[in-house]
mmCIF file of all heavy atoms in Angstrom:
data_model
loop_
_atom_site.group_PDB
_atom_site.id
_atom_site.type_symbol
_atom_site.label_atom_id
_atom_site.label_comp_id
_atom_site.label_asym_id
_atom_site.label_seq_id
_atom_site.Cartn_x
_atom_site.Cartn_y
_atom_site.Cartn_z
ATOM 1 N N THR Y 345 98.245 124.797 111.277
ATOM 2 C CA THR Y 345 97.776 123.682 110.450
ATOM 3 C C THR Y 345 98.116 123.982 108.995
ATOM 4 O O THR Y 345 98.252 125.138 108.606
ATOM 5 C CB THR Y 345 96.255 123.476 110.574
ATOM 6 O OG1 THR Y 345 95.594 124.621 110.012
ATOM 7 C CG2 THR Y 345 95.827 123.293 112.008
ATOM 8 N N PRO Y 346 98.250 122.938 108.150
ATOM 9 C CA PRO Y 346 98.439 123.163 106.729
ATOM 10 C C PRO Y 346 97.312 123.975 106.114
ATOM 11 O O PRO Y 346 97.548 124.803 105.203
ATOM 12 C CB PRO Y 346 98.526 121.751 106.144
ATOM 13 C CG PRO Y 346 98.948 120.905 107.293
ATOM 14 C CD PRO Y 346 98.304 121.500 108.501
ATOM 15 N N GLU Y 347 96.088 123.740 106.584
ATOM 16 C CA GLU Y 347 94.928 124.469 106.068
ATOM 17 C C GLU Y 347 95.057 125.964 106.380
ATOM 18 O O GLU Y 347 94.700 126.799 105.542
ATOM 19 C CB GLU Y 347 93.642 123.911 106.672
ATOM 20 C CG GLU Y 347 93.317 122.466 106.279
ATOM 21 C CD GLU Y 347 94.164 121.446 107.025
ATOM 22 O OE1 GLU Y 347 94.749 121.802 108.053
ATOM 23 O OE2 GLU Y 347 94.201 120.279 106.553
ATOM 24 N N ALA Y 348 95.527 126.295 107.572
ATOM 25 C CA ALA Y 348 95.724 127.705 107.935
ATOM 26 C C ALA Y 348 96.733 128.373 107.004
ATOM 27 O O ALA Y 348 96.553 129.525 106.597
ATOM 28 C CB ALA Y 348 96.187 127.820 109.386
ATOM 29 N N PHE Y 349 97.793 127.658 106.680
ATOM 30 C CA PHE Y 349 98.826 128.210 105.793
ATOM 31 C C PHE Y 349 98.278 128.458 104.396
ATOM 32 O O PHE Y 349 98.630 129.461 103.764
ATOM 33 C CB PHE Y 349 100.015 127.254 105.752
ATOM 34 C CG PHE Y 349 101.229 127.816 105.015
ATOM 35 C CD1 PHE Y 349 101.821 128.962 105.433
ATOM 36 C CD2 PHE Y 349 101.748 127.132 103.926
ATOM 37 C CE1 PHE Y 349 102.951 129.480 104.762
ATOM 38 C CE2 PHE Y 349 102.861 127.622 103.260
ATOM 39 C CZ PHE Y 349 103.462 128.795 103.701
ATOM 40 N N ARG Y 350 97.455 127.552 103.906
ATOM 41 C CA ARG Y 350 96.837 127.772 102.600
ATOM 42 C C ARG Y 350 95.812 128.895 102.649
ATOM 43 O O ARG Y 350 95.682 129.685 101.699
ATOM 44 C CB ARG Y 350 96.183 126.477 102.115
ATOM 45 C CG ARG Y 350 97.152 125.381 101.724
ATOM 46 C CD ARG Y 350 96.480 124.250 100.988
ATOM 47 N NE ARG Y 350 95.583 123.489 101.872
ATOM 48 C CZ ARG Y 350 95.934 122.411 102.543
ATOM 49 N NH1 ARG Y 350 97.182 121.964 102.479
ATOM 50 N NH2 ARG Y 350 95.063 121.778 103.310
ATOM 51 N N ARG Y 351 95.091 128.983 103.740
ATOM 52 C CA ARG Y 351 93.993 129.954 103.856
ATOM 53 C C ARG Y 351 94.493 131.373 104.083
ATOM 54 O O ARG Y 351 94.015 132.332 103.493
ATOM 55 C CB ARG Y 351 93.070 129.526 104.986
ATOM 56 C CG ARG Y 351 91.845 130.406 105.176
ATOM 57 C CD ARG Y 351 90.906 129.797 106.209
ATOM 58 N NE ARG Y 351 91.535 129.660 107.539
ATOM 59 C CZ ARG Y 351 91.787 128.479 108.128
ATOM 60 N NH1 ARG Y 351 91.484 127.345 107.513
ATOM 61 N NH2 ARG Y 351 92.338 128.452 109.326
ATOM 62 N N ASN Y 352 95.468 131.516 104.971
ATOM 63 C CA ASN Y 352 95.965 132.849 105.322
ATOM 64 C C ASN Y 352 97.457 132.797 105.608
ATOM 65 O O ASN Y 352 97.891 132.875 106.755
ATOM 66 C CB ASN Y 352 95.216 133.379 106.557
ATOM 67 C CG ASN Y 352 95.450 134.840 106.824
ATOM 68 O OD1 ASN Y 352 96.354 135.449 106.250
ATOM 69 N ND2 ASN Y 352 94.625 135.437 107.693
ATOM 70 N N PRO Y 353 98.259 132.647 104.566
ATOM 71 C CA PRO Y 353 99.715 132.507 104.770
ATOM 72 C C PRO Y 353 100.339 133.705 105.472
ATOM 73 O O PRO Y 353 101.278 133.539 106.263
ATOM 74 C CB PRO Y 353 100.279 132.338 103.368
ATOM 75 C CG PRO Y 353 99.213 132.863 102.463
ATOM 76 C CD PRO Y 353 97.907 132.613 103.137
ATOM 77 N N ASP Y 354 99.828 134.910 105.238
ATOM 78 C CA ASP Y 354 100.420 136.088 105.892
ATOM 79 C C ASP Y 354 100.315 135.988 107.408
ATOM 80 O O ASP Y 354 101.265 136.328 108.127
ATOM 81 C CB ASP Y 354 99.724 137.364 105.423
ATOM 82 C CG ASP Y 354 100.117 137.762 104.007
ATOM 83 O OD1 ASP Y 354 101.212 137.382 103.571
ATOM 84 O OD2 ASP Y 354 99.305 138.457 103.333
ATOM 85 N N LEU Y 355 99.180 135.523 107.926
ATOM 86 C CA LEU Y 355 99.008 135.395 109.361
ATOM 87 C C LEU Y 355 99.983 134.342 109.908
ATOM 88 O O LEU Y 355 100.612 134.568 110.979
ATOM 89 C CB LEU Y 355 97.577 134.966 109.683
ATOM 90 C CG LEU Y 355 97.292 134.689 111.159
ATOM 91 C CD1 LEU Y 355 97.497 135.962 112.013
ATOM 92 C CD2 LEU Y 355 95.870 134.163 111.340
ATOM 93 N N VAL Y 356 100.150 133.239 109.207
ATOM 94 C CA VAL Y 356 101.045 132.174 109.677
ATOM 95 C C VAL Y 356 102.490 132.659 109.632
ATOM 96 O O VAL Y 356 103.245 132.464 110.598
ATOM 97 C CB VAL Y 356 100.867 130.907 108.814
ATOM 98 C CG1 VAL Y 356 101.867 129.843 109.235
ATOM 99 C CG2 VAL Y 356 99.428 130.364 108.972
ATOM 100 N N TYR Y 357 102.899 133.279 108.538
ATOM 101 C CA TYR Y 357 104.260 133.836 108.476
ATOM 102 C C TYR Y 357 104.490 134.796 109.629
ATOM 103 O O TYR Y 357 105.537 134.749 110.302
ATOM 104 C CB TYR Y 357 104.470 134.564 107.151
ATOM 105 C CG TYR Y 357 104.768 133.678 105.960
ATOM 106 C CD1 TYR Y 357 103.983 133.805 104.801
ATOM 107 C CD2 TYR Y 357 105.775 132.745 105.940
ATOM 108 C CE1 TYR Y 357 104.215 133.036 103.677
ATOM 109 C CE2 TYR Y 357 106.015 131.952 104.835
ATOM 110 C CZ TYR Y 357 105.254 132.103 103.705
ATOM 111 O OH TYR Y 357 105.468 131.306 102.608
ATOM 112 N N ASP Y 358 103.550 135.716 109.856
ATOM 113 C CA ASP Y 358 103.720 136.725 110.901
ATOM 114 C C ASP Y 358 103.826 136.078 112.274
ATOM 115 O O ASP Y 358 104.644 136.509 113.120
ATOM 116 C CB ASP Y 358 102.568 137.725 110.849
ATOM 117 C CG ASP Y 358 102.740 138.825 111.895
ATOM 118 O OD1 ASP Y 358 103.724 139.571 111.790
ATOM 119 O OD2 ASP Y 358 101.876 138.923 112.773
ATOM 120 N N PHE Y 359 103.009 135.057 112.516
ATOM 121 C CA PHE Y 359 103.025 134.378 113.800
ATOM 122 C C PHE Y 359 104.401 133.794 114.095
ATOM 123 O O PHE Y 359 104.963 133.999 115.178
ATOM 124 C CB PHE Y 359 101.973 133.251 113.800
ATOM 125 C CG PHE Y 359 101.953 132.412 115.021
ATOM 126 C CD1 PHE Y 359 101.408 132.880 116.225
ATOM 127 C CD2 PHE Y 359 102.504 131.131 115.021
ATOM 128 C CE1 PHE Y 359 101.397 132.111 117.361
ATOM 129 C CE2 PHE Y 359 102.489 130.351 116.178
ATOM 130 C CZ PHE Y 359 101.939 130.824 117.337
ATOM 131 N N TYR Y 360 104.994 133.112 113.127
ATOM 132 C CA TYR Y 360 106.314 132.511 113.342
ATOM 133 C C TYR Y 360 107.426 133.551 113.277
ATOM 134 O O TYR Y 360 108.464 133.404 113.955
ATOM 135 C CB TYR Y 360 106.542 131.359 112.350
ATOM 136 C CG TYR Y 360 105.678 130.178 112.704
ATOM 137 C CD1 TYR Y 360 104.518 129.913 112.012
ATOM 138 C CD2 TYR Y 360 106.013 129.331 113.777
ATOM 139 C CE1 TYR Y 360 103.687 128.850 112.376
ATOM 140 C CE2 TYR Y 360 105.208 128.281 114.129
ATOM 141 C CZ TYR Y 360 104.050 128.031 113.416
ATOM 142 O OH TYR Y 360 103.248 126.984 113.782
ATOM 143 N N ASN Y 361 107.236 134.596 112.494
ATOM 144 C CA ASN Y 361 108.231 135.668 112.485
ATOM 145 C C ASN Y 361 108.341 136.304 113.882
ATOM 146 O O ASN Y 361 109.437 136.614 114.367
ATOM 147 C CB ASN Y 361 107.868 136.732 111.464
ATOM 148 C CG ASN Y 361 108.122 136.286 110.035
ATOM 149 O OD1 ASN Y 361 108.877 135.346 109.781
ATOM 150 N ND2 ASN Y 361 107.474 136.939 109.078
ATOM 151 N N GLN Y 362 107.189 136.540 114.511
ATOM 152 C CA GLN Y 362 107.216 137.133 115.859
ATOM 153 C C GLN Y 362 107.887 136.188 116.857
ATOM 154 O O GLN Y 362 108.648 136.639 117.716
ATOM 155 C CB GLN Y 362 105.805 137.444 116.322
ATOM 156 C CG GLN Y 362 105.148 138.588 115.556
ATOM 157 C CD GLN Y 362 103.800 138.958 116.142
ATOM 158 O OE1 GLN Y 362 103.664 139.077 117.359
ATOM 159 N NE2 GLN Y 362 102.790 139.125 115.317
ATOM 160 N N ARG Y 363 107.582 134.916 116.763
ATOM 161 C CA ARG Y 363 108.212 133.966 117.675
ATOM 162 C C ARG Y 363 109.711 133.873 117.436
ATOM 163 O O ARG Y 363 110.505 133.735 118.381
ATOM 164 C CB ARG Y 363 107.592 132.574 117.499
ATOM 165 C CG ARG Y 363 106.086 132.545 117.800
ATOM 166 C CD ARG Y 363 105.564 131.125 117.785
ATOM 167 N NE ARG Y 363 105.937 130.426 119.002
ATOM 168 C CZ ARG Y 363 105.793 129.117 119.153
ATOM 169 N NH1 ARG Y 363 105.333 128.377 118.183
ATOM 170 N NH2 ARG Y 363 106.140 128.521 120.282
ATOM 171 N N ARG Y 364 110.129 133.952 116.180
ATOM 172 C CA ARG Y 364 111.560 133.886 115.836
ATOM 173 C C ARG Y 364 112.287 135.107 116.391
ATOM 174 O O ARG Y 364 113.391 135.017 116.946
ATOM 175 C CB ARG Y 364 111.768 133.777 114.336
ATOM 176 C CG ARG Y 364 113.216 133.509 113.921
ATOM 177 C CD ARG Y 364 113.361 133.442 112.411
ATOM 178 N NE ARG Y 364 112.498 132.438 111.822
ATOM 179 C CZ ARG Y 364 111.408 132.714 111.105
ATOM 180 N NH1 ARG Y 364 111.056 133.983 110.868
ATOM 181 N NH2 ARG Y 364 110.666 131.754 110.613
ATOM 182 N N ARG Y 365 111.671 136.270 116.235
ATOM 183 C CA ARG Y 365 112.275 137.479 116.773
ATOM 184 C C ARG Y 365 112.445 137.399 118.271
ATOM 185 O O ARG Y 365 113.457 137.799 118.838
ATOM 186 C CB ARG Y 365 111.408 138.721 116.426
ATOM 187 C CG ARG Y 365 111.433 139.118 114.975
ATOM 188 C CD ARG Y 365 110.600 140.348 114.742
ATOM 189 N NE ARG Y 365 109.917 140.303 113.453
ATOM 190 C CZ ARG Y 365 108.635 140.570 113.264
ATOM 191 N NH1 ARG Y 365 107.860 140.910 114.309
ATOM 192 N NH2 ARG Y 365 108.098 140.528 112.082
ATOM 193 N N GLN Y 366 111.427 136.853 118.965
ATOM 194 C CA GLN Y 366 111.539 136.707 120.410
ATOM 195 C C GLN Y 366 112.668 135.763 120.774
ATOM 196 O O GLN Y 366 113.472 136.032 121.690
ATOM 197 C CB GLN Y 366 110.239 136.150 121.002
ATOM 198 C CG GLN Y 366 110.268 136.094 122.543
ATOM 199 C CD GLN Y 366 109.371 135.028 123.141
ATOM 200 O OE1 GLN Y 366 109.001 134.059 122.491
ATOM 201 N NE2 GLN Y 366 109.041 135.195 124.411
ATOM 202 N N LEU Y 367 112.787 134.639 120.062
ATOM 203 C CA LEU Y 367 113.816 133.655 120.344
ATOM 204 C C LEU Y 367 115.200 134.258 120.161
ATOM 205 O O LEU Y 367 116.149 133.911 120.914
ATOM 206 C CB LEU Y 367 113.624 132.421 119.444
ATOM 207 C CG LEU Y 367 114.659 131.301 119.584
ATOM 208 C CD1 LEU Y 367 114.722 130.761 121.007
ATOM 209 C CD2 LEU Y 367 114.341 130.199 118.577
ATOM 210 N N LEU Y 368 115.342 135.132 119.185
ATOM 211 C CA LEU Y 368 116.663 135.715 118.884
ATOM 212 C C LEU Y 368 116.942 136.979 119.684
ATOM 213 O O LEU Y 368 118.020 137.576 119.545
ATOM 214 C CB LEU Y 368 116.749 136.052 117.380
ATOM 215 C CG LEU Y 368 116.760 134.834 116.457
ATOM 216 C CD1 LEU Y 368 116.654 135.235 114.999
ATOM 217 C CD2 LEU Y 368 118.017 133.963 116.683
ATOM 218 N N SER Y 369 116.009 137.408 120.533
ATOM 219 C CA SER Y 369 116.238 138.614 121.321
ATOM 220 C C SER Y 369 117.277 138.337 122.404
ATOM 221 O O SER Y 369 117.419 137.205 122.876
ATOM 222 C CB SER Y 369 114.936 139.083 121.954
ATOM 223 O OG SER Y 369 114.445 138.145 122.892
ATOM 224 N N PRO Y 370 118.037 139.351 122.806
ATOM 225 C CA PRO Y 370 119.139 139.146 123.756
ATOM 226 C C PRO Y 370 118.731 138.617 125.104
ATOM 227 O O PRO Y 370 119.552 138.027 125.841
ATOM 228 C CB PRO Y 370 119.759 140.567 123.895
ATOM 229 C CG PRO Y 370 119.289 141.298 122.682
ATOM 230 C CD PRO Y 370 117.954 140.740 122.327
ATOM 231 N N ASP Y 371 117.475 138.808 125.507
ATOM 232 C CA ASP Y 371 117.053 138.383 126.831
ATOM 233 C C ASP Y 371 116.658 136.906 126.907
ATOM 234 O O ASP Y 371 116.338 136.403 127.994
ATOM 235 C CB ASP Y 371 115.897 139.270 127.338
ATOM 236 C CG ASP Y 371 114.715 139.284 126.386
ATOM 237 O OD1 ASP Y 371 114.942 139.174 125.158
ATOM 238 O OD2 ASP Y 371 113.559 139.385 126.840
ATOM 239 N N ILE Y 372 116.644 136.205 125.779
ATOM 240 C CA ILE Y 372 116.330 134.785 125.779
ATOM 241 C C ILE Y 372 117.628 133.981 125.805
ATOM 242 O O ILE Y 372 118.431 134.073 124.901
ATOM 243 C CB ILE Y 372 115.500 134.392 124.546
ATOM 244 C CG1 ILE Y 372 114.165 135.164 124.555
ATOM 245 C CG2 ILE Y 372 115.251 132.888 124.500
ATOM 246 C CD1 ILE Y 372 113.252 134.820 125.701
ATOM 247 N N LYS Y 373 117.790 133.213 126.871
ATOM 248 C CA LYS Y 373 119.031 132.431 127.027
ATOM 249 C C LYS Y 373 118.681 131.037 127.568
ATOM 250 O O LYS Y 373 117.651 130.849 128.219
ATOM 251 C CB LYS Y 373 119.983 133.102 128.024
ATOM 252 C CG LYS Y 373 120.481 134.476 127.567
ATOM 253 C CD LYS Y 373 121.406 135.085 128.635
ATOM 254 C CE LYS Y 373 122.026 136.387 128.149
ATOM 255 N NZ LYS Y 373 121.008 137.445 127.952
ATOM 256 N N ALA Y 374 119.563 130.080 127.296
ATOM 257 C CA ALA Y 374 119.413 128.744 127.892
ATOM 258 C C ALA Y 374 119.483 128.871 129.403
ATOM 259 O O ALA Y 374 120.208 129.693 129.956
ATOM 260 C CB ALA Y 374 120.509 127.839 127.391
#
């Protein structure tokens, strides 16, 4: 939520950083 980003941006950044790393890992394929 936008409120979460304002309240705790580090948590939000980390959440999406982890998801991005998973998406870019070699074992994720179409």
Side-chain angles (χ1 to χ4, degrees):
T345 67
E347 295 77 16
F349 188 58
R350 289 191 292 268
R351 183 174 60 246
N352 192 346
D354 286 336
L355 176 62
V356 176
Y357 281 127
D358 182 62
F359 176 76
Y360 289 101
N361 286 340
Q362 290 187 46
R363 298 188 76 192
R364 188 182 303 108
R365 289 182 215 133
Q366 184 207 22
L367 178 58
L368 293 172
S369 65
D371 56 327
I372 299 296
K373 297 179 175 65

